[in-house]
Amino acid sequence: MSVDLTGKVALVTGAARGMGAAEARLFTALGAKVVLTDVLAADGEATAASLGPAARFVRHDVTDEQSWTAAVAAAVDGFGRLDVLVNNAAIYSTSPIVDEDPERLEALIRVNLIGPFLGIRAVAGAMRAGGGGSVVNISSQAGLQGIWGHGAYGAAKWGLRGLTRTAALELGADGIRVNSVHPGAIATAMTSHLDTTGHPGAPLGRVGQPEEVARLVAFLASDAASYLSGAEVAVDGGAAAGRMPAFPRQETDA
């Protein structure tokens, strides 16, 4: 079964690099028009330019409601419609709960949970007008199981899992599907502290590649997944099937 995104318009957040860039790259290769958004303007502009006329970049703060309005308008005004939202933008840090900084917890929740919440609200009208759409929320393996040191990050990603289920219930009548993807350790700037060749916590024995996540996201965005909503799909080399080792503390943007 081939995945075809011809004629679809997608908005991918956090698309300047990493998984978001891989998703945008694959979407355009499959025929979609893509609005890439990020706070990393230089990287975002360069990534969009490399994808040609089917892509454009918009600087976008996912925690700001007006910034969401502008990003959605860029998609609708530039490409005529909006069919897909990928809530990919995230920040990441780890710490034992007793050592966690409440301000860092708030920052994680603002970007990783409130951002997607605002995004779903922002795109719903445009998707209804187009007869439906697909929202793909990038959660985490830490949104499927407890992982040592992931109290704050995991709380936000578990929240995103719950938001996905509720949005699937509320928006289904409008033909809008909402699903969550749960990556494990993926070789991006976020996981640069990990060994990308070996991963003892994953049965497949390695860290994943951004393109492996992108292929799942593209499927969920496509009509091939037309009866799939409210689902939670892990792309983690099997790691969520068992116990994960603790990650060293790390603070970085996605």
Side-chain angles (χ1 to χ4, degrees):
M1 178 178 62
S2 61
V3 173
D4 184 5
L5 296 178
T6 301
K8 294 193 181 297
V9 176
L11 192 160
V12 181
T13 69
R17 60 187 187 183
M19 290 191 299
E23 290 151 8
R25 189 174 300 112
L26 180 58
F27 276 34
T28 57
L30 294 174
K33 304 286 197 304
V34 183
V35 174
L36 297 80
T37 83
D38 210 304
V39 294
L40 303 174
D43 288 346
E45 292 280 6
T47 300
S50 73
L51 301 179
R56 61 183 57 189
F57 174 76
V58 175
R59 191 187 185 283
H60 174 208
D61 176 359
V62 297
T63 69
D64 182 82
E65 194 164 10
Q66 292 184 341
S67 189
W68 270 109
T69 300
V72 172
V76 174
D77 295 345
F79 295 126
R81 57 186 296 121
L82 180 58
D83 305 288
V84 179
L85 168 64
V86 182
N87 276 315
N88 172 80
I91 57 174
Y92 176 71
S93 69
T94 63
S95 172
I97 293 169
V98 296
D99 298 327
E100 186 60 88
D101 181 350
E103 291 187 2
R104 186 162 51 235
L105 167 65
E106 291 179 5
L108 284 161
I109 291 174
R110 280 197 304 273
V111 175
N112 298 357
L113 180 56
I114 295 176
F117 174 87
L118 294 176
I120 292 169
R121 285 165 51 96
V123 303
M127 288 187 178
R128 285 192 190 108
S134 172
V135 177
V136 183
N137 292 324
I138 308 300
S139 180
S140 170
Q141 182 192 339
L144 291 174
Q145 66 178 141
I147 300 177
W148 192 96
H150 286 63
Y153 181 78
K157 292 300 190 177
W158 276 83
L160 183 55
R161 179 184 178 189
L163 175 65
T164 299
R165 289 191 173 196
T166 302
L169 291 173
E170 294 182 355
L171 299 176
D174 297 308
I176 301 172
R177 299 180 296 104
V178 189
N179 295 288
S180 60
V181 169
H182 297 258
I186 306 298
T188 68
M190 179 182 283
T191 58
S192 59
H193 60 295
L194 298 176
D195 178 2
T196 59
T197 57
H199 183 23
L204 293 186
R206 63 176 177 84
V207 168
Q209 297 300 314
E211 293 75 17
E212 294 177 296
V213 179
R215 289 195 289 270
L216 172 59
V217 175
F219 168 72
L220 292 173
S222 76
D223 294 338
S226 58
Y227 201 53
L228 194 58
S229 192
E232 300 158 350
V233 188
V235 53
D236 63 359
R243 181 179 178 274
M244 275 290 292
F247 287 148
R249 179 167 176 161
Q250 184 73 194
E251 299 171 21
T252 182
D253 291 339

